[in-house]
Amino acid sequence: MSAAGYFDSPWPGEDGGPARLQSPHGTPGLALQPGERLAQTSRRTQLSTMTVLGAPGEVFLLTHSALRAHLGLPTTACVERIDPVSLRTLRCSPRLRGGPMWPGGLAVHRNGSLYVVYGRHGHRLDSDCQLMASCELPVAEPYNSFVILDNGLIVTKNLSERTPARLSVLDEQLASAAADVDLPEPSVARLSAVGNTVYVVGLRHLYRYRWDDASRQLQLDSGWQPDYLAGSPNSHGWDLVVDGDQAWLMDNGRHRYLVRMTGAARSAGANRLIRVSLRDGSVQALEVSGLPRGAITNPPLLDPRRRIVVAYDSANAVLRAWRYGEALADLAPLWQRQPFGAASHMILYPDTGELVVNDHRGLRESVVVLAIETGAELGRVRTAGHMQGVVFPSSGFGRDFYWSSMDRLTRVHVQ
C-alpha cells in the first residue's frame, strides 16, 4: 500500500514513496529464473528525471530542458503519459513553467491528479497531462521536488548551498496551506516524510518538522537536530531513507557530475554511510570504500525485511552491503563489488530480494539485477545511454521496470 497521500499504485512517486525505501507496493519481484534474461526497449529523451505509475497501464514520464539554463534563461518541464511497453508518447502536457534548472519531481496524488515541482513552480495536471493549476514558489531558486503528507498536503523547498532552506506547504489546489518555515541552514538533499512528519537534510544537521492540525503549521522538533558531520571535514549529505526508529544517508555530496560520477568528487576524504537514531539523534558513521575523494549524489538503499543496507562510493566505483542489527553500532560487512559504477537511485523487490542498480563504465551504462544477500549477479542488460544515471527508476506493473538517465529512458523486462 502506498503512503496515504499518494495514489494506490506500485510506484506513485519518486523512490516509491516519501520514506525513500525504493521499493514497489503490491507487485511481485522479477523472480529471474535460470534460462531467463533481461531485455530492453529504449528511447532518447530530453533530460528524463523519473517515471511514476498511476492506474493500471498508466506510466508518466517527467523531462526538462537545460540548454537555456547555460544562457541564464528560464527552463521548462514536460510530463508525458507513455505506452508502458513501447515507450511511445500517448499524451503530452504543454511546456510547464520552471525557471532555474534542477531535476524536479512528479507524483500521483491520492486524488488522481499529477503534481510537478520544477524550477520555482508547481503544477497540477490531470491523467491526460492537461494543466489544471500552477503556482510560483517564493524563493528565486530551483526547488528539488516535494513530498505528499498522509493528510494530502504537499511540502517543498528550495535547493541551495548558500540560501537557508524554506519549507512551503501547498494544498491540493496549489494554494498556500500554511506560513512558510525558514530553516537555520541551506539544504541540497530532497525531503523525506513519514506520515505527517517531514525530514530535512541540511548542509550539516538533520531537522524534523511535524504537521500540527491545531495550529495548521509545521512545527520544528527542537529536541532532534543531529549533527551528522560532527568531527568530519566531509561535504553535505543527500536524501534520507527513513524506516522504523532509524534513518540513513551518505555524505560527501559535493561533486562535479557532467556525464559520470566516476572521479567527480570535490571533497578530499572518503564518503561515509551514516545511521541516525530517530529517538535520540545519536549518529554512527563508517567509510563506504575507505578511498580518498569519495562522492555520491543519492541515498543508500535499505532492506528492512533482511536488515541489509547497501551504500556506494560513486566517485571510486565501489558498491557495498552490510547486515545491520538492533544496536546503532551493529553493522557487519556482507559483500562488496568493485569496480561497479553505481550512482542512481535503485529498486529493491522485497519479496525476491532482487536489487536493481546501474553499472557505468567508460561511456556505457548497464542495468544490473543483484541478489541483495550475496551481491551475486542475476541479470544484466546494456542500455543505449552514454551518461551515468543519477536520477529515478521505477518498477513496472509486471516483470519489468523503467530506468531513467539524462539522455535515455529504458524499459527493462524479463525474457
Side-chain angles (χ1 to χ4, degrees), residues 115-170:
Y115 288 85
V116 176
V117 169
Y118 174 75
R120 63 174 300 195
H121 289 82
H123 304 280
R124 180 182 182 183
L125 298 87
D126 65 20
S127 59
D128 285 327
C129 301
Q130 296 305 298
L131 184 62
M132 301 170 67
S134 296
C135 69
E136 185 176 73
L137 297 164
V139 182
E141 291 179 332
Y143 281 64
N144 57 342
S145 196
F146 60 96
V147 290
I148 305 174
L149 305 185
D150 278 2
N151 58 20
L153 294 175
I154 297 160
V155 184
T156 185
K157 71 162 183 67
N158 58 309
L159 176 154
S160 178
E161 291 190 45
R162 298 175 301 277
T163 307
R166 176 177 291 184
L167 296 177
S168 294
V169 184
L170 306 175

Side-chain angles (χ1 to χ4, degrees), residues 159-302:
L159 176 154
S160 178
E161 291 190 45
R162 298 175 301 277
T163 307
R166 176 177 291 184
L167 296 177
S168 294
V169 184
L170 306 175
D171 65 18
E172 295 179 25
Q173 310 305 320
L174 296 182
S176 176
D180 290 345
V181 175
D182 290 319
L183 272 72
E185 63 184 274
S187 170
V188 172
R190 294 179 180 228
L191 299 173
S192 302
V194 175
N196 293 323
T197 299
V198 179
Y199 291 89
V200 188
V201 179
L203 292 189
R204 67 171 306 125
H205 295 87
L206 303 181
Y207 300 92
R208 179 163 61 195
Y209 289 84
R210 294 189 172 96
W211 176 259
D212 180 67
D213 281 325
S215 64
R216 302 293 297 175
Q217 295 287 336
L218 286 172
Q219 301 284 355
L220 173 66
D221 182 351
S222 58
W224 191 86
Q225 296 183 21
D227 181 352
Y228 66 88
L229 289 183
S232 171
N234 284 7
S235 60
H236 64 80
W238 279 90
D239 312 345
L240 192 70
V241 181
V242 186
D243 177 70
D245 60 3
Q246 295 174 26
W248 304 77
L249 73 160
M250 293 184 289
D251 65 7
N252 263 9
R254 297 189 72 231
H255 55 77
R256 288 183 290 267
Y257 171 85
L258 287 175
V259 174
R260 60 185 184 180
M261 280 292 298
T262 309
R266 286 188 170 182
S267 301
N271 75 302
R272 304 179 304 161
L273 173 67
I274 301 168
R275 184 183 192 184
V276 183
S277 168
L278 299 182
R279 290 174 295 180
D280 60 16
S282 53
V283 176
Q284 174 195 4
L286 77 162
E287 295 178 347
V288 174
S289 70
L291 299 173
R293 305 196 66 78
I296 49 89
T297 188
N298 282 315
L301 181 134
L302 199 65

Side-chain angles (χ1 to χ4, degrees), residues 9 14 23 41 74 89-90 139 151-152 166 183 224 275 305 309 330 339 376 400-401:
S9 84
E14 63 197 40
S23 292
T41 301
T89 302
L90 302 176
V139 182
N151 58 20
R166 176 177 291 184
L183 272 72
W224 191 86
R275 184 183 192 184
R305 178 182 298 188
V309 60
D330 186 9
D400 63 345
F401 58 87

